Amino acid sequence: MEILAFGVQADEKPLIERAFQGHDDVHCLDVFLNADTAPIAVGHEVVCTSVNCDLGPRVLQTLVAGGTQMVAQRSTGFNNIDLQVAERLGMTVARVSSYSPYSVAEFAWTLAMAVNRRIVRASTRTRDFDFRLDGLMGRDMHGRTAGILGTGKIGEAFARIAHGFGMRLLGWDVAENPACMELGMTYVSKEQLLTESDLVTLHVPLMPQTKNLIDADALRAMKDDAILVNSSRGGLVDTAALVAELREGRFTGVGLDVYEAEAGLFFLDKSLEAIEDDTLARLVTFPNVLVTSHQAYYTVDAVGQIIAATVKNVLDYTAGRRSENVLVPRS
């Protein structure tokens, strides 16, 4: 069986090819799956996709018409897939339900500390042999309050690091995590968390009920000198509202590894093109904002686990088995 993998990064390609060796024939492409590239998949029973691929109705119909029967998504998130259409078309859809939570939690902390201690600005200065400390003053995390929206595996890993810093822990989630409570976390309303936290971090999935979880009202509720970190999904934050608050001089720092309109931008080289997204163009100009290109998961450990789970998903599909990773079962 031939598998076509879309949106494969250069570092991922040898790992994917090695993982499928002896099982199936896999072809890796660096282009993302969308309406324009979907015809490439003709004759491939399985397509392997990433979170920035477009698997809307039009793309799914094109895939099915070309003989594709399974979508193996290399991510936990699946908001880019129209599951109802996939089910109606008789497709099987699987994802990676979990991988190293430490990869994302550690990167979220990297963003938080980078904006807190002005690391990017300091590094830029020293490259120019400017060794002044003006404007580089940060704050101790010890004794301050970390507000964690979403306390699943990643949120818990973030909380453990925060506990190591000696921080007070506030949590918000639909269900309380006993492991977080053992660390001393207190579960409160979202409003109280935003009002009292010095550091707010997002670790919830993107669903209709969490879209723009951090909207204009939520941003106004936060402390003027708070730090905001989002390493989950871009749609959790109303970016236009965030820009408006930043223009008022608010927030010590903002670290974003995701962006609500990142599809067609992130993972690609746009350095020689004019960026038409005015909101993103304005966002990256603020000296207290650090934007990275959805790389929180990108460790050899996490990517290895993602690829291993993807191979297992394809093998399960071939054998007619069902696992917790299946979103739409084989019809």
PDB file of all heavy atoms in Angstrom, residues 194-206:
ATOM      1  N   LEU A 194      -7.754  34.953  35.510  1.00  0.00           N
ATOM      2  CA  LEU A 194      -7.190  36.035  34.705  1.00  0.00           C
ATOM      3  C   LEU A 194      -6.873  37.254  35.551  1.00  0.00           C
ATOM      4  O   LEU A 194      -5.859  37.929  35.338  1.00  0.00           O
ATOM      5  CB  LEU A 194      -8.171  36.411  33.591  1.00  0.00           C
ATOM      6  CG  LEU A 194      -8.442  35.330  32.537  1.00  0.00           C
ATOM      7  CD1 LEU A 194      -9.557  35.767  31.599  1.00  0.00           C
ATOM      8  CD2 LEU A 194      -7.178  35.012  31.754  1.00  0.00           C
ATOM      9  N   THR A 195      -7.708  37.537  36.522  1.00  0.00           N
ATOM     10  CA  THR A 195      -7.531  38.722  37.362  1.00  0.00           C
ATOM     11  C   THR A 195      -6.315  38.608  38.278  1.00  0.00           C
ATOM     12  O   THR A 195      -5.599  39.590  38.510  1.00  0.00           O
ATOM     13  CB  THR A 195      -8.792  38.971  38.207  1.00  0.00           C
ATOM     14  OG1 THR A 195      -9.916  39.150  37.343  1.00  0.00           O
ATOM     15  CG2 THR A 195      -8.633  40.202  39.088  1.00  0.00           C
ATOM     16  N   GLU A 196      -6.040  37.390  38.773  1.00  0.00           N
ATOM     17  CA  GLU A 196      -5.020  37.217  39.798  1.00  0.00           C
ATOM     18  C   GLU A 196      -3.675  36.714  39.280  1.00  0.00           C
ATOM     19  O   GLU A 196      -2.670  36.757  39.994  1.00  0.00           O
ATOM     20  CB  GLU A 196      -5.534  36.253  40.878  1.00  0.00           C
ATOM     21  CG  GLU A 196      -6.769  36.758  41.609  1.00  0.00           C
ATOM     22  CD  GLU A 196      -7.217  35.819  42.720  1.00  0.00           C
ATOM     23  OE1 GLU A 196      -6.442  34.888  43.059  1.00  0.00           O
ATOM     24  OE2 GLU A 196      -8.331  36.010  43.241  1.00  0.00           O
ATOM     25  N   SER A 197      -3.618  36.230  38.045  1.00  0.00           N
ATOM     26  CA  SER A 197      -2.402  35.571  37.565  1.00  0.00           C
ATOM     27  C   SER A 197      -1.378  36.554  37.006  1.00  0.00           C
ATOM     28  O   SER A 197      -1.724  37.495  36.289  1.00  0.00           O
ATOM     29  CB  SER A 197      -2.745  34.540  36.492  1.00  0.00           C
ATOM     30  OG  SER A 197      -3.536  33.502  37.023  1.00  0.00           O
ATOM     31  N   ASP A 198      -0.122  36.294  37.312  1.00  0.00           N
ATOM     32  CA  ASP A 198       0.988  37.051  36.721  1.00  0.00           C
ATOM     33  C   ASP A 198       1.418  36.422  35.398  1.00  0.00           C
ATOM     34  O   ASP A 198       1.972  37.102  34.530  1.00  0.00           O
ATOM     35  CB  ASP A 198       2.183  37.068  37.683  1.00  0.00           C
ATOM     36  CG  ASP A 198       1.823  37.701  39.012  1.00  0.00           C
ATOM     37  OD1 ASP A 198       1.590  38.927  39.028  1.00  0.00           O
ATOM     38  OD2 ASP A 198       1.759  36.975  40.013  1.00  0.00           O
ATOM     39  N   LEU A 199       1.158  35.130  35.262  1.00  0.00           N
ATOM     40  CA  LEU A 199       1.464  34.376  34.052  1.00  0.00           C
ATOM     41  C   LEU A 199       0.235  33.554  33.689  1.00  0.00           C
ATOM     42  O   LEU A 199      -0.253  32.771  34.511  1.00  0.00           O
ATOM     43  CB  LEU A 199       2.670  33.459  34.287  1.00  0.00           C
ATOM     44  CG  LEU A 199       2.947  32.368  33.249  1.00  0.00           C
ATOM     45  CD1 LEU A 199       3.217  32.961  31.881  1.00  0.00           C
ATOM     46  CD2 LEU A 199       4.120  31.494  33.699  1.00  0.00           C
ATOM     47  N   VAL A 200      -0.269  33.738  32.485  1.00  0.00           N
ATOM     48  CA  VAL A 200      -1.440  32.989  31.999  1.00  0.00           C
ATOM     49  C   VAL A 200      -0.987  32.143  30.812  1.00  0.00           C
ATOM     50  O   VAL A 200      -0.408  32.661  29.856  1.00  0.00           O
ATOM     51  CB  VAL A 200      -2.576  33.934  31.558  1.00  0.00           C
ATOM     52  CG1 VAL A 200      -3.728  33.139  30.932  1.00  0.00           C
ATOM     53  CG2 VAL A 200      -3.075  34.752  32.750  1.00  0.00           C
ATOM     54  N   THR A 201      -1.242  30.844  30.882  1.00  0.00           N
ATOM     55  CA  THR A 201      -0.843  29.945  29.804  1.00  0.00           C
ATOM     56  C   THR A 201      -2.025  29.091  29.372  1.00  0.00           C
ATOM     57  O   THR A 201      -2.849  28.684  30.198  1.00  0.00           O
ATOM     58  CB  THR A 201       0.349  29.065  30.253  1.00  0.00           C
ATOM     59  OG1 THR A 201       0.770  28.234  29.170  1.00  0.00           O
ATOM     60  CG2 THR A 201      -0.012  28.195  31.437  1.00  0.00           C
ATOM     61  N   LEU A 202      -2.112  28.818  28.076  1.00  0.00           N
ATOM     62  CA  LEU A 202      -3.266  28.120  27.500  1.00  0.00           C
ATOM     63  C   LEU A 202      -2.892  26.709  27.078  1.00  0.00           C
ATOM     64  O   LEU A 202      -1.945  26.514  26.308  1.00  0.00           O
ATOM     65  CB  LEU A 202      -3.796  28.883  26.281  1.00  0.00           C
ATOM     66  CG  LEU A 202      -4.083  30.375  26.479  1.00  0.00           C
ATOM     67  CD1 LEU A 202      -4.595  30.982  25.187  1.00  0.00           C
ATOM     68  CD2 LEU A 202      -5.094  30.579  27.592  1.00  0.00           C
ATOM     69  N   HIS A 203      -3.664  25.735  27.554  1.00  0.00           N
ATOM     70  CA  HIS A 203      -3.429  24.331  27.202  1.00  0.00           C
ATOM     71  C   HIS A 203      -4.750  23.595  27.023  1.00  0.00           C
ATOM     72  O   HIS A 203      -4.948  22.494  27.550  1.00  0.00           O
ATOM     73  CB  HIS A 203      -2.569  23.658  28.277  1.00  0.00           C
ATOM     74  CG  HIS A 203      -1.244  24.315  28.466  1.00  0.00           C
ATOM     75  ND1 HIS A 203      -0.241  24.264  27.512  1.00  0.00           N
ATOM     76  CD2 HIS A 203      -0.754  25.087  29.475  1.00  0.00           C
ATOM     77  CE1 HIS A 203       0.800  24.960  27.934  1.00  0.00           C
ATOM     78  NE2 HIS A 203       0.519  25.470  29.118  1.00  0.00           N
ATOM     79  N   VAL A 204      -5.665  24.204  26.280  1.00  0.00           N
ATOM     80  CA  VAL A 204      -6.966  23.600  26.002  1.00  0.00           C
ATOM     81  C   VAL A 204      -7.093  23.371  24.502  1.00  0.00           C
ATOM     82  O   VAL A 204      -6.454  24.062  23.698  1.00  0.00           O
ATOM     83  CB  VAL A 204      -8.125  24.485  26.507  1.00  0.00           C
ATOM     84  CG1 VAL A 204      -8.027  24.699  28.006  1.00  0.00           C
ATOM     85  CG2 VAL A 204      -8.138  25.833  25.795  1.00  0.00           C
ATOM     86  N   PRO A 205      -7.909  22.405  24.087  1.00  0.00           N
ATOM     87  CA  PRO A 205      -8.109  22.172  22.651  1.00  0.00           C
ATOM     88  C   PRO A 205      -8.974  23.263  22.042  1.00  0.00           C
ATOM     89  O   PRO A 205      -9.724  23.957  22.753  1.00  0.00           O
ATOM     90  CB  PRO A 205      -8.823  20.814  22.617  1.00  0.00           C
ATOM     91  CG  PRO A 205      -9.547  20.738  23.928  1.00  0.00           C
ATOM     92  CD  PRO A 205      -8.649  21.437  24.928  1.00  0.00           C
ATOM     93  N   LEU A 206      -8.884  23.419  20.731  1.00  0.00           N
ATOM     94  CA  LEU A 206      -9.728  24.385  20.033  1.00  0.00           C
ATOM     95  C   LEU A 206     -11.021  23.709  19.613  1.00  0.00           C
ATOM     96  O   LEU A 206     -11.025  22.783  18.799  1.00  0.00           O
ATOM     97  CB  LEU A 206      -9.002  24.943  18.805  1.00  0.00           C
ATOM     98  CG  LEU A 206      -9.798  25.940  17.956  1.00  0.00           C
ATOM     99  CD1 LEU A 206     -10.185  27.163  18.788  1.00  0.00           C
ATOM    100  CD2 LEU A 206      -9.002  26.355  16.723  1.00  0.00           C
TER     101      LEU A 206
END
